[in-house]
Structure formats: structure tokens, C-alpha cells
Amino acid sequence: MSKKIQAIRGMNDLLPKNSALWLSLEKTIFDLFITYGYQNIRTPIVEKTDTFCRAIGGDTDIVEKEMYSWKEASGESLSLRPEGTAGCVRMMIEHNLPRESIQKVFYQGAMFRHERPQKGRYRQFHQVGLEIFGVFNAKADAELIIIIHTLWQIIGLKNIVLEINTLGSNEVRNAYRKVLVAYFNQHKNQLNEDGLKQLKTNPFRILDSKNKAMYSLISDAPKLIDYLDKKSTKHFEQFKSYLDALNITYVINTSLVRGLDYYNRTVFEWTTTDLGTQSTICAGGRYDGLIEKMGGMPTPAVGLAIGLERLVLLLEAQNLILTKSILSICLIAFGKKEQIKSIQIANTLHDELPNIIIYNDLTLGSFKSQFEKADKIKANFALILGEQELNNNQISIKPLRNQGKQQTMNLEEAIKYFKENQ
Ligand code: ATP
Ligand code: MG
């Protein structure tokens, strides 16, 4: 036998036994987004590498070491998308959408980052994201928070904390950068290798470090919030007042900077202590300068992304089962004519009972083996079509999950029976 084929490390299959949870989670999320007036968009998985570099920033983890990139024969460099916002912004600019009206959109799909795979951190993972283009005021930032807060309530999520911060305007960030560089320069001996590098390239990223030895250095660092300009302070105050109006609790985390370059003003994350180091479930913020930087008209924007694998891990850790059990019927038939009839019956049942699962036996095995299969898939009922039933234009119903007795009846009566029992 030749060597067994295997998937790539950090890129997972979704097995049949796990997919029901994913489907119902995605449906819950999409239905909620739609009720808030967001429309679905889909962008290609592959974009020009330059699109990501310009959007995400050259000095970020993603662009420096996590992108899957290659050169085309033409010499052009392409990449698998590591996140969704860059492609979304590219699409907005290319199709001139923000000029028409405010754009409220959501996307879903696979993202790719060359990271060290571990629980909650994969090389192919899935995000669902929300973006608003064309609104500067903080009501937009708050709407995103409200939607996700509502989502956690719908799915019953616990032990999840909303952390917020503001990064101010670009001018504020530039002034603060100088202060930060001076502070870390004074404490250079406490920085690790990455930190020393980031001090030169992007000192904000030191604040985002997961290195525990640097925690106290980071928490004693000067806070951007103390250097805010009036306009940014007001924006942040307004943002908070919307959250307060709905009693949404949050923690102000002044070290929260996010790992991507494009953010300004509002940034936020929902974190949990239930998943070890992979603690961020959903993250986002405002990126008012990005559209212009990418070649579009100046357009304020704000967005977020949920990491679906981490959300699913959290649902499992908290024993939250989103899937409703659906009544299922196994149609068991024996004999040539009976097989034809069973196809017709299954068709009628699908029409009449659209919310019930109907398994029609495909093995054409013995009655006994068909029953065993029905048992194995945990069907609620067996619907039996033998020679006698066929001759009398009837079928027999046998409950498989309780002690109820077998009954024989015509198809209309059976449909009525299932409608009453679903
Ligand atoms: P982290 O700090 O954990 O590396 P990040 O800041 O790189 O996260 P974002 O780029 O903000 O993450 O992506 C938004 C969300 O996508 C994260 O909060 C997380 O839930 C999820 N996510 C990011 N990278 C991965 C990954 N490699 N595997 C699984 N989920 C991921
Ligand atoms: Mg990361």
C-alpha cells in the first residue's frame, strides 16, 4: 500500500460529526448580521501581496512572517489572504462603493497565516467579519459592539470580557510614539529580541507582546490615553456612552494596541480565560486612514473579525449546544418493486415534512442489516415497506428510540402521524 495521504499541519478538516455545530453557529451569526442591515460580500482568497502589505503594514507579524506568498511567472507576487479587511477595502475602492452610500457589510471564510500550530492557532482558520465604511461617528463603533454582545447572549456565551481602548488620531500616535521610544530606550535591558527590533520598526507592537517577563515593563509604560487630543477624547467618550446606555460592561485596557498597523481611535477585543493563551475571540477597531492609503477617497471605517475556531472551542468548553435535534426517519424497503416505491414515498415525505430528516436506504441489504443501520444513525422511526405493505398500499411505522409498538397505515395517515410527532 502506498503512503497514506495527509492534510497539511495546522490546516484542519471539518468532520461530519462536527459540522452541525458550525452550520448552526454560522447561520445564527449571519441571520443576526442581516437583521442589523449588513450585506454579505465575498472577495477572492488570493490577492496581490502588495494589497496586504499596504493595508496591514510591513512591520507587522502578519506581513513579516505569517503570509503564504509566491511569485507568478510574470514576476508578480500573490498571497493567500491572512485577514479579511484588506481585500474588503480593495473591493470597496475598486467598485467605488462608499461613494454611493454608507456600506455595512459582512464576510466569512478561510484565512491563512504561517504560524506555529497549537490549540486555537492554525495555519488555515476561519473568520467572520463586519465592516462599516463611510461613518466617522462613534455610534458605528458602538453598533458593532452591540451586535457581537447580542450574539454572545443568543448563544449563551459566558466568561468573555470586552476590552476597549483608543489609539487617538495619527498625530497623537506620532507624538506618543516618541514618548514610548524614549521610555523603552531607558529600559532596553528588559526588552527581548523581538522588542529591541520593534523599538526601531514599530514600538507600539511591544505593548502587544505576549512575553510574560515584559508585562510589568509594559504596564508601567506611558499611556497613549494621557496624550489624547480633544477630538479623539470626545470620540472615545461618545463610544463609551453608547455602551453604557445598553449596560454593556467593558474594561479599558490602555495597553491594547492590536497587531495591525491600520487602526486609529477605537480598538477592542473580547477575551476569555477559558482557552489558555489563545484568548482573543473577536477583535477590531477603527481604520479611518486606510481607504485613502490604499488609493481610495478618504473614507472613515470601522470593523471587526471573529475567529470561528476559537469560538467553537469556547462553545465546547462551556458545553453550549446550539444544534436542535431534528426528527429523523429511516425508510427501509426490501424487494425490487419496493425500492421504486420507496423512492416515491421518500419524495412525498420530503415535500410534506420539510423539517424532518429522511434517510432512504441505499444499501439494498437485508431487513436486519437495514434496521441495524437505522439504529446506528439513531433514527427516531423506521418506515417499513415490505411485500405485504406494497400490496396493501400501506407502510409500517416502528419507533426505534422508545417502546412504542409498530403500526401499519396508509401514507397520508403516516404523514399526519409524523406531523403530530415532530
Ligand atoms: P493573536 O493575538 O491571537 O495572534 P491576532 O491579533 O493575530 O490574534 P487578528 O488578526 O485580530 O488576530 O484576527 C482576529 C481573530 O481571528 C483573532 O482574535 C482570533 O480569534 C482569530 N485568529 C487570528 N489568528 C488565528 C489563527 N492563526 N488561528 C485561529 N484563529 C486565529
Ligand atoms: Mg496573530
Side-chain angles (χ1 to χ4, degrees), residues 61-62 66 113 115 121 210:
D61 275 352
I62 294 182
E66 295 174 359
R113 296 186 194 177
E115 306 200 66
R121 190 175 295 283
K210 295 193 174 78

